[in-house]
């Protein structure tokens, strides 16, 4: 009966608890006295008061330096094929180094490389007793840093324990909680509003620069001094409607006014154009994530921006509905 119970515990833990002892006192561990480690790993302790608390609250004092280790021959971990590197999430077959728990027993934290094992050793509180998503808002992976998807396979929500978290634009911006999601939604709405608002601001600034700093010059259409005189008589006595009278200048010359901007004004407009285009591409990248509510946030923001910034009383409304971020 004892053997069956021990076998059940070992299978349940995917770690041979029959050969696992407490790192502090070398006593047998209990399956329900443990602290989680990223990568589906655990540290087990005995029943003595304070031992599990010491291991999970002050792991730096209970870990030895990293070393190379062969997990396939480790009596405790060779059957724990579900464990992963706590730093990057690589699987069992790629675990080559370990950070041992000291000073007793043979428990370890396995990693895929010496570099990642050193990261665990240098900052163990980041990996021991850590939890990436406290409310199971989404699946943030098993690595130390939460991971997410930049593009889903068709429109879907990045919400729910089985759904991948959303990685929004930048690597650290993994939306792994409800609070982060709420701020992301609001941020996308403001981003889309700024796209509309900045477009109006750019047009206004362009008009002001032309008005205040435009260099005015005139351009006269070319006219020869010989101008046609209707009804002249040619040498053969016939009426020539295109006969020319030399030396006559027309009363008025066609004149056009040209305003040219100095170089620094062109530079200002070029920078504003690049900023506007950047905002447009950010909006496009948000849509390309195929996250349903982020798409709704973009449409909502553009609509609010139109209402707030567009002059709807103008004879002609500027802007474009080109889906590829036309500015």
């Amino acid at each position: 009966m004892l053997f069956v119970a021990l076998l059940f515990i070992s299978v349940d833990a995917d770690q041979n608890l029959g050969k696992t002892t407490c790192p502090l006192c070398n006593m047998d561990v209990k399956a329900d006295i443990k602290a989680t480690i990223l990568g589906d790993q655990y540290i087990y302790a005995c029943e003595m008061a304070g031992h599990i608390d010491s291991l999970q609250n002050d792991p730096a004092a209970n870990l030895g330096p990293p070393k190379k280790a062969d997990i396939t021959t480790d009596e405790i971990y060779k059957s724990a094929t579900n464990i992963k590197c706590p730093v990057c999430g690589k699987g069992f077959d790629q675990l080559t180094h370990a950070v041992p728990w000291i000073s007793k027993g043979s428990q370890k934290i396995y990693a895929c490389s010496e570099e990642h094992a050193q990261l665990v050793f240098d900052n163990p509180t980041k990996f021991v007793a850590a939890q990436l998503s406290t409310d199971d808002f989404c699946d943030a992976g098993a690595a130390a840093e939460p991971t997410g998807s930049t593009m889903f396979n068709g429109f879907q929500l990045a919400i729910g324990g089985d759904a991948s978290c959303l990685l929004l634009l930048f690597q650290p911006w993994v939306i792994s909680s409800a609070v982060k999601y709420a701020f992301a939604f609001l941020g996308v709405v403001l981003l889309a509003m700024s796209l509309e608002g900045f477009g109006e601001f750019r047009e206004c600034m362009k008009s002001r620069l032309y008005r205040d700093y435009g260099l005015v010059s005139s351009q006269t259409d070319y006219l020869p001094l010989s101008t046609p005189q209707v009804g002249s008589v040619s040498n053969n006595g016939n009426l020539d409607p295109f006969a020319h009278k030399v030396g006559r200048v027309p009363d008025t010359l066609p004149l056009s006014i040209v305003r040219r901007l100095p170089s620094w004004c062109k530079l200002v407009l070029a920078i504003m154009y690049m900023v506007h285009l950047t905002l447009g591409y950010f909006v496009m990248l948000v849509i390309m994530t195929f996250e349903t509510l982020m798409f709704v946030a973009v449409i909502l923001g553009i609509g609010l921006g139109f209402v707030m910034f567009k002059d709807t009383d103008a004879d002609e409304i500027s802007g474009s509905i080109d889906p590829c971020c036309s500015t």
Side-chain angles (χ1 to χ4, degrees):
M1 181 66 69
L2 179 61
F3 173 79
V4 173
L6 183 60
L7 180 62
F8 174 79
I9 291 174
S10 300
V11 171
D12 179 66
D14 280 333
Q15 179 175 327
N16 190 346
L17 299 186
K19 296 182 179 295
T20 302
T21 58
C22 178
L24 299 181
C25 63
N26 210 30
M27 292 177 60
D28 291 339
V29 299
K30 297 295 181 180
D32 58 342
I33 303 177
K34 62 184 178 181
T36 59
I37 303 171
L38 295 181
D40 294 330
Q41 301 188 49
Y42 300 93
I43 173 62
Y44 290 87
C46 64
E47 292 180 302
M48 293 188 66
H51 280 201
I52 188 61
D53 293 332
S54 176
L55 292 172
Q56 69 178 357
N57 296 332
D58 190 18
N62 298 286
L63 287 172
K67 61 182 181 181
K68 191 173 181 62
D70 184 1
I71 194 172
T72 60
T73 60
D74 191 319
E75 290 296 327
I76 296 177
Y77 295 96
K78 65 181 181 180
S79 298
T81 55
N82 64 319
I83 69 175
K84 310 176 187 68
C85 176
V87 178
C88 65
K90 288 184 178 179
F92 176 87
D93 294 333
Q94 296 175 283
L95 303 179
T96 58
H97 289 73
V99 182
W101 291 93
I102 56 175
S103 60
K104 300 176 175 64
S106 300
Q107 296 193 70
K108 306 175 185 69
I109 302 176
Y110 273 91
C112 67
S113 65
E114 183 179 3
E115 179 185 1
H116 285 185
Q118 189 66 44
L119 287 175
V120 174
F121 178 75
D122 291 340
N123 190 12
T125 55
K126 189 175 181 180
F127 305 91
V128 178
Q131 193 170 358
L132 295 176
S133 181
T134 57
D135 55 359
D136 290 329
F137 182 79
C138 59
D139 182 7
E145 297 294 336
T147 58
S149 175
T150 57
M151 181 182 293
F152 292 97
N153 186 20
F155 280 107
Q156 57 185 280
L157 291 173
I159 299 175
D162 295 332
S164 297
C165 293
L166 172 66
L167 195 159
L168 188 63
L169 297 178
F170 300 102
Q171 191 70 33
W173 292 5
V174 178
I175 314 304
S176 56
S177 69
V179 173
K180 291 181 180 179
Y181 196 95
F183 276 104
F185 185 90
L186 180 60
V188 170
V189 170
L190 294 176
L191 175 65
M193 290 176 63
S194 70
L195 179 64
E196 292 292 318
F198 194 83
E200 291 299 301
F201 174 71
R202 187 165 68 91
E203 290 298 322
C204 179
M205 183 60 69
K206 179 180 178 181
S207 300
R208 178 171 295 184
L209 289 176
Y210 268 105
R211 183 190 65 199
D212 296 342
Y213 302 102
L215 304 177
V216 180
S217 61
S218 62
Q219 181 177 349
T220 305
D221 295 334
Y222 171 77
L223 285 177
L225 291 180
S226 297
T227 56
Q229 181 178 359
V230 179
S232 298
V233 179
S234 62
N235 295 331
N236 58 12
N238 297 326
L239 183 64
D240 185 359
F242 298 102
H244 294 268
K245 183 177 181 180
V246 179
R248 181 176 178 179
V249 180
D251 296 333
T252 59
L253 296 177
L255 186 66
S256 59
I257 302 299
V258 178
R259 287 182 178 269
R260 301 185 186 278
L261 288 175
S263 298
W264 71 268
C265 291
K266 293 181 180 179
L267 179 61
V268 170
L269 291 178
I271 293 174
M272 295 181 69
Y273 177 77
M274 289 187 289
V275 172
H276 197 193
L277 200 62
T278 300
L279 292 174
Y281 277 116
F282 278 158
V283 169
M284 181 187 70
L285 290 172
V286 171
I287 292 177
M288 289 178 63
T289 63
F290 289 96
E291 209 286 334
T292 305
L293 288 184
M294 292 300 140
F295 177 80
V296 172
V298 168
I299 301 303
L300 179 62
I302 290 177
L304 291 175
F306 181 89
V307 171
M308 293 181 63
F309 301 114
K310 291 291 185 182
D311 182 9
T312 55
D313 295 327
D315 294 334
E316 182 178 350
I317 299 178
S318 61
S320 171
I321 58 172
D322 190 321
C324 195
C325 312
S326 175
T327 57

